[in-house]
Amino acid sequence: MASVPAEKLSESQREQTDGFNLIIDALKLNGVKTIYGVPGIPITDFGRMAQAEGIRVIAFRHEQHAGNAAAIAGYLTKKPGICLTVSAPGFLNGLTALANATTNCFPMILISGSSEREIVDLQQGDYEEMDQLAIAKPLCKAAFRILHAEDIGVGVARAIRAAVSGRPGGVYLDLPAKLFGQVMDAAEGAASLIKVIDPAPAQIPSPESVERALSLLQKAERPLIILGKGASYSQADDEIRALIEKTGIPFLPMSMGKGILPDTHAQCAGAARSLVLKESDVVMLIGARLNWLLSQGKGKPWGGRKQFIHIDIEPTEMDSNVEIAAPVVGDIGSCVSALLEGITEDSHKPSSEWTDAVKAKKDANIAKMAPRLANDNHPMDFHGALGVLRTVIKERPDAILVNEGANTLDLARGIIDMYKPRKRLDVGTWGVMGIGMGFCVAAAIETGKPVLAIEGDSAFGFSGMEIETICRYNLPVCIVVFNNGGIYRGTDVNERSSDPAWTTFVADSRYDKMMEAFGGVGVHATTPAELKSAVDAAMDSGKPTLINAAINPAAGSESGRIGNLNPQSKLQKK
Ligand code: ADP
Ligand code: TZD
Ligand code: MG
């Protein structure tokens, strides 16, 4: 029987769709496979329906961790990670992750249900009433609200493009409760959806900017290349490796830039950081900003003025702190490819004086560190524990390392060599605590690889409840809590009252027991050997595991490596 054209059918005869289905269809059309979130009004049914439609819906215990999971999923895949929350308080819980994603240039979309416009705008006291769009706007790259079912296609498309094009970042998408139930003709609804074509188009640098960079690099006597997390994000791994190996220039990876080339690469200057920052004359930044992590490009660590070549997709990043002699604006893959075309054998080789000096310093520092990493001190110290975890990553270079804390972060970053790109995930630009378990969940789900989390005991506490999530989804995550009884140390004393010092926790806590409560494996490790065998067992079995590594409470230093950032009272008693 010939089918009757849709427009000839009466309203009641036509097939209908609604907001719920259109949002799911729009996400699926654009390749969204996973949503990270926490259920509640008005999104509970939406999550159920998304799951029924084959989208993986990962439920967390707190929205901040779902948001962090979405953010790092975006970083790992170059597609926006999706976080779904309820209105006002759930939205606010997710907002920290959205702001952090934007700060770190990770693409994600925070989708929150919200109250009705009419009631919110007249402030008439709706359930969880809040003008979420206005609050999100200054904290993310873009924010949109969809009021009508027929706009869902456009709204989702705009959110995706805003998150991943140019400098990636966080996008907020506001979905008022009424939208979900709005009904429209199914055929018209399907036709209104947009599959985003080329969401992050290549951005080709101008030939002049490439020429300028090449000639500056050629004049350099002591060149240096710095690789930031933008370089990891770009996935231009082959081009970056070719640039570095063809020129022979020493490279310094930023924290999450570690592993683009192995830290053990002959040209890696990680172990000679102070020397290369101070002594270099021309520095090429690839996907790294001259922010506080690089002393804003000036002052003592830099030993005077440098000439910078800066490769970045964001034009306004140039000259943000110091003069950029050769800005190269474009996507890293296109920029590095263009540079490579102008580099021939030996055309940009640094002097052997320079590379020899870097190598000598690096070898000396590595040799100095070696015995400390092999120590078997009781109680265990950071170096003894990190010495064995360094071996774990060497033996399992595919594993993803999640890392947060102060001493636990700074020492692990320096000690643990990374061998492959995008394997090190950490506190990023803000040095924020709380990314740990959210990052673990998404790293395991998005990559299918085993995850090793190295967590300060304070850092772990920010997202610790999500170990239930890790157990519930049976993820191959091994968490090592560096338990030194507090923030930086467990030895502070409050001399005024019986209250504990505010940097300390319950001494000798057993975080491993928390894991057992949810059916995971818990281990208490007091020596490097016990730690190594417990981590190996966890990585072999893939079972959710938490190892409580008992670290000497006196071992850490205030604020790890950045104690100099603490303000000092001139009046403080000595
Ligand atoms: P790090 O903390 O590792 O030093 P930052 O987060 O400071 O790195 O810098 C990352 C930079 O990378 C940002 O300025 C961002 O605009 C840039 N970036 C991100 N993705 C790309 C890309 N695909 N191409 C070019 N630049 C990029
Ligand atoms: N809150 C948030 C969200 N981020 C922060 N960075 C801090 C507070 C302050 N902070 C740090 O910068 S590190 C840290 C805090 C609370 C914890 C350090 O203790 P730890 O690590 O146990 O995790 P170590 O190994 O004891 O130094
Ligand atoms: Mg601690």
Side-chain angles (χ1 to χ4, degrees):
M1 193 179 78
S3 65
V4 185
E7 60 274 15
K8 295 259 167 75
L9 295 170
S10 72
E11 186 111 331
S12 60
Q13 284 174 310
R14 286 189 214 165
E15 215 181 307
Q16 297 204 308
T17 187
D18 64 6
F20 285 103
N21 284 289
L22 283 166
I23 301 162
I24 292 167
D25 292 347
L27 293 174
K28 281 180 74 172
L29 182 66
N30 284 288
V32 170
K33 300 206 161 49
T34 309
I35 293 174
Y36 301 93
V38 177
I41 296 170
I43 55 159
T44 313
D45 268 344
F46 176 76
R48 288 193 185 108
M49 291 166 78
Q51 198 167 33
E53 287 296 319
I55 294 181
R56 209 162 173 205
V57 181
I58 306 294
F60 281 71
R61 306 299 293 259
H62 188 290
E63 292 85 352
Q64 186 176 127
H65 314 309
N68 284 326
I72 212 66
Y75 170 75
L76 289 168
T77 63
K78 291 185 95 171
K79 297 196 177 110
I82 309 289
C83 175
L84 180 64
T85 81
V86 302
S87 15
F91 155 77
L92 286 173
N93 284 344
L95 200 54
T96 306
L98 186 71
N100 187 55
T102 307
T103 298
N104 282 283
C105 316
F106 299 157
M108 74 171 277
I109 303 173
L110 174 67
I111 303 179
S112 298
S114 62
S115 310
E116 299 320 328
R117 292 310 314 154
E118 298 82 346
I119 305 180
V120 173
D121 288 349
L122 277 171
Q123 296 170 42
Q124 293 175 309
D126 204 354
Y127 169 69
E128 296 190 347
E129 174 183 300
M130 175 176 268
D131 188 357
Q132 295 167 199
L133 187 73
I135 289 164
K137 243 179 206 162
L139 296 170
C140 59
K141 192 177 165 191
F144 306 103
R145 176 186 291 130
I146 307 176
L147 287 176
H148 305 293
E150 59 265 33
D151 293 331
I152 286 171
V154 169
V156 170
R158 297 209 73 188
I160 291 172
R161 202 177 274 286
V164 294
S165 59
R167 170 182 280 175
V171 174
Y172 175 60
L173 191 57
D174 192 82
L175 305 182
K178 254 192 219 166
L179 176 74
F180 292 92
Q182 271 181 37
V183 169
M184 72 182 285
D185 178 83
E188 280 170 26
S192 73
L193 300 185
I194 295 174
K195 183 169 165 57
V196 181
I197 296 162
D198 196 8
Q203 288 187 222
I204 315 291
S206 78
E208 298 77 23
S209 70
V210 173
E211 204 43 55
R212 193 184 294 119
L214 283 170
S215 72
L216 178 55
L217 197 60
Q218 198 155 28
K219 280 186 231 135
E221 285 171 15
R222 299 179 304 282
L224 172 68
I225 294 176
I226 297 184
L227 300 175
K229 61 171 117 65
S232 325
Y233 173 79
S234 76
Q235 300 192 11
D237 308 336
D238 296 341
E239 293 89 337
I240 292 169
R241 178 185 272 271
L243 176 76
I244 286 173
E245 293 187 340
K246 239 172 136 180
T247 59
I249 297 172
F251 69 94
L252 180 69
M254 300 300 288
S255 200
M256 286 174 62
K258 277 164 72 83
I260 297 174
L261 280 84
D263 285 330
T264 50
H265 191 282
Q267 287 165 254
C268 180
R273 186 176 196 273
S274 309
L275 176 114
V276 291
L277 288 186
K278 207 170 193 167
E279 304 291 335
S280 54
D281 59 353
V282 173
V283 179
M284 181 190 278
L285 300 157
I286 307 185
R289 287 168 285 186
L290 282 176
N291 56 18
W292 70 281
L293 288 157
L294 285 169
S295 313
Q296 268 88 20
K298 51 199 169 193
K300 218 169 148 206
W302 288 93
R305 264 177 81 95
K306 309 272 151 167
Q307 287 194 291
F308 287 102
I309 301 165
H310 197 166
I311 303 181
D312 203 291
I313 203 158
E314 178 59 57
T316 59
E317 188 56 40
M318 306 298 147
D319 306 319
S320 55
N321 283 283
V322 294
E323 179 191 274
I324 300 299
V328 184
V329 176
D331 73 276
I332 287 168
S334 301
C335 292
V336 175
S337 299
L339 287 167
L340 272 169
E341 279 178 31
I343 293 169
T344 53
E345 202 60 38
D346 290 339
S347 66
H348 291 74
K349 279 244 171 325
S351 69
S352 55
E353 249 168 68
W354 172 235
T355 51
D356 288 350
V358 175
K359 184 173 183 319
K361 183 73 186 168
K362 163 180 153 175
D363 290 348
N365 282 345
I366 290 172
K368 205 158 78 187
M369 184 64 96
R372 296 187 71 186
L373 299 180
N375 89 59
D376 198 18
N377 291 340
H378 292 261
M380 188 154 59
D381 64 21
F382 285 99
H383 289 83
L386 288 168
V388 295
L389 297 179
R390 177 178 193 258
T391 307
V392 168
I393 294 296
K394 186 176 180 185
E395 291 168 352
R396 303 169 193 270
D398 276 325
I400 294 184
L401 179 66
V402 172
N403 189 199
E404 59 179 333
N407 294 277
T408 304
L409 174 87
D410 291 344
L411 293 168
R413 181 198 293 123
I415 289 169
I416 299 183
D417 290 326
M418 303 307 297
Y419 299 85
K420 297 197 172 180
R422 294 170 295 284
K423 297 294 186 188
R424 188 187 151 83
L425 311 176
D426 67 26
V427 301
T429 305
W430 268 348
V432 65
M433 298 297 112
I435 48 85
M437 299 305 106
F439 279 16
C440 285
V441 169
I445 283 178
E446 301 288 338
T447 70
K449 304 278 189 235
V451 179
L452 174 64
I454 305 182
E455 300 271 314
D457 51 346
S458 165
F460 172 70
F462 285 75
S463 66
M465 191 64 208
E466 301 297 346
I467 60 173
E468 189 275 331
T469 309
I470 290 168
C471 289
R472 186 165 16 104
Y473 291 93
N474 195 25
L475 299 174
V477 176
C478 173
I479 304 145
V480 179
V481 175
F482 272 37
N483 187 356
N484 63 348
I487 297 175
Y488 316 137
R489 275 183 308 266
T491 49
D492 269 8
V493 176
N494 167 22
E495 283 163 4
R496 181 63 191 262
S497 74
S498 59
D499 282 349
W502 84 314
T503 55
T504 61
F505 300 138
V506 171
D508 305 317
S509 297
R510 292 289 300 273
Y511 294 99
D512 50 314
K513 304 265 188 202
M514 289 172 65
M515 199 65 168
E516 289 171 359
F518 303 114
V521 178
V523 181
H524 180 55
T526 60
T527 66
E530 282 171 14
L531 178 59
K532 175 80 166 51
S533 72
V535 175
D536 280 336
M539 303 294 270
D540 287 342
S541 71
K543 282 189 194 145
T545 301
L546 191 154
I547 303 163
N548 184 59
I551 303 285
N552 186 343
S557 54
E558 181 93 356
S559 304
R561 288 266 165 87
I562 52 172
N564 60 309
L565 300 181
N566 283 308
Q568 295 276 324
S569 165
K570 298 238 171 13
L571 308 175
Q572 214 166 37
K573 284 184 209 138
K574 286 270 146 55

